[in-house]
Amino acid sequence: MSVSNPEAFTPLTGGCQCGSVRYVVAAPPRRHSLCCCVDCRRSAGAPIVGWASVAEASLTITGQTAGYNSSGDIERAFCPRCGTGLFYRSASLFPGEVDVSTGTLDDPSAFSPTEIIQVADAPTWWETIGSLPRHARFPNEA
């Protein structure tokens, strides 16, 4: 799917790990960023976090989320039952938008990332990630 082709857009669905929170995104994302910033890494417990920036009006959420103010006006929403990080909002940085964690999409292959951001905060091994061995599942132990 092309992020810039609204005619071919199929609504995106997703939710938390336990299923208590579900969502639908009814309009195409403006971008799909992979973020390396310290706040995202610590919040997710992962080296990279994918975010699809969508219009707030295009997002429908069912279930209750809890919020955490990580800095300034940045609000991170998560499932209070299982802890899955779901949404990121900042009225000063992205008014009228919400970032949806693309790791929570039912189909994470629905569209490709469009950029990698905050690489100044990336771990020093970031540049070598493409050369690591790849395994379809866990590697065989010797």
Side-chain angles (χ1 to χ4, degrees):
M1 175 208 135
S2 168
V3 172
S4 62
N5 186 359
E7 295 81 30
F9 183 73
T10 301
L12 301 171
T13 59
C16 66
Q17 185 176 22
C18 73
S20 295
V21 179
R22 297 288 302 158
Y23 63 82
V24 176
V25 176
R30 186 170 64 83
R31 68 178 187 272
H32 177 188
S33 306
L34 299 179
C35 186
C36 302
C37 84
V38 173
D39 284 346
C40 283
R41 290 197 334 255
R42 287 191 176 148
S43 175
I48 310 166
V49 180
W51 295 109
S53 295
V54 302
E56 183 79 50
S58 73
L59 177 66
T60 303
I61 302 168
T62 55
Q64 292 293 108
T65 61
Y68 172 71
N69 176 262
S70 60
S71 62
D73 72 343
I74 295 171
E75 181 77 14
R76 294 175 183 273
F78 59 93
C79 172
R81 183 169 177 223
C82 68
T84 301
L86 296 160
F87 312 111
Y88 171 104
R89 293 176 176 90
S90 172
S92 64
L93 295 173
F94 310 109
E97 290 188 9
V98 58
D99 284 355
V100 175
S101 173
T102 56
T104 66
L105 290 169
D106 291 337
D107 179 7
S109 298
F111 60 101
S112 297
T114 57
E115 61 191 353
I116 301 172
I117 61 173
Q118 304 286 15
V119 294
D121 288 350
T124 56
W125 51 260
W126 172 257
E127 294 298 324
T128 64
I129 198 168
S131 64
L132 294 175
R134 297 177 186 250
H135 307 278
R137 300 285 181 222
F138 290 110
N140 294 330
E141 294 193 34

